[in-house]
Amino acid sequence: MELYLLRHADADTPAATDDDRWLSVKGREQGDRVARFCKARQILPAIVLTSPVRRARETAEIVGVQLGVEIVTVPWLACGMRAETALEQLGAYRAQSPIMLVGHEPDFSMLAAALLGLPDESFINIRKASLTRFDVPVLQLGTARLDFSIPCKLMH
């Protein structure tokens, strides 16, 4: 399975709760940049799965709409996701590879570390609006290969 992790874009905005924060102007620009980067390099997921949290949904919508990809909101990608849960849930989407997940930190760094068989997330930092690609031959912890991780500011 080809698996892309896209951390939500910048959401440095005031809101009543953390879950209600929307993308900032910078975040919308980051989303556009990611979409253009993916389009130019033929990175076209079959499906985009997103956290229900507003800033992640908005990021997924910007990228998914520009790529013409189906976007599905899944509760297991909300803040606090566990790597084991992600792998279990991804099984239902195995036939739809490549898959793009849009979610949060520290969840994505923990997932990346678990996929690679690293002891903890301190070895990886998934930055806002960065795109990280794994080849996951078997949906089990420690079986993935990291192909790339590109911060938004380097996407041209």
Side-chain angles (χ1 to χ4, degrees), residues 9-108:
D10 184 77
D12 189 18
T13 51
T17 69
D18 183 54
D19 285 358
D20 292 332
R21 287 189 301 131
W22 59 90
L23 292 183
S24 63
V25 171
K26 176 182 178 181
R28 292 198 169 282
E29 290 169 355
Q30 288 173 328
D32 285 335
R33 180 180 279 192
V34 171
R36 287 191 311 271
F37 178 85
C38 289
K39 203 174 218 179
R41 284 153 187 83
Q42 303 279 318
I43 297 172
L44 301 172
I47 190 168
V48 173
L49 304 177
T50 184
S51 159
V53 177
R54 183 175 179 172
R55 59 192 176 273
R57 278 192 346 265
E58 289 179 349
T59 302
E61 288 166 4
I62 291 169
V63 174
V65 166
Q66 289 187 43
L67 296 179
V69 177
E70 177 185 10
I71 303 163
V72 177
T73 301
V74 292
W76 53 270
L77 273 169
C79 299
M81 176 197 74
R82 294 176 30 102
E84 297 81 6
T85 301
L87 289 179
E88 179 182 304
Q89 296 295 322
L90 280 170
Y93 299 93
R94 188 182 333 239
Q96 293 178 287
S97 179
I99 298 171
M100 182 180 286
L101 305 181
V102 182
H104 310 277
E105 272 298 289
D107 306 352
F108 273 5

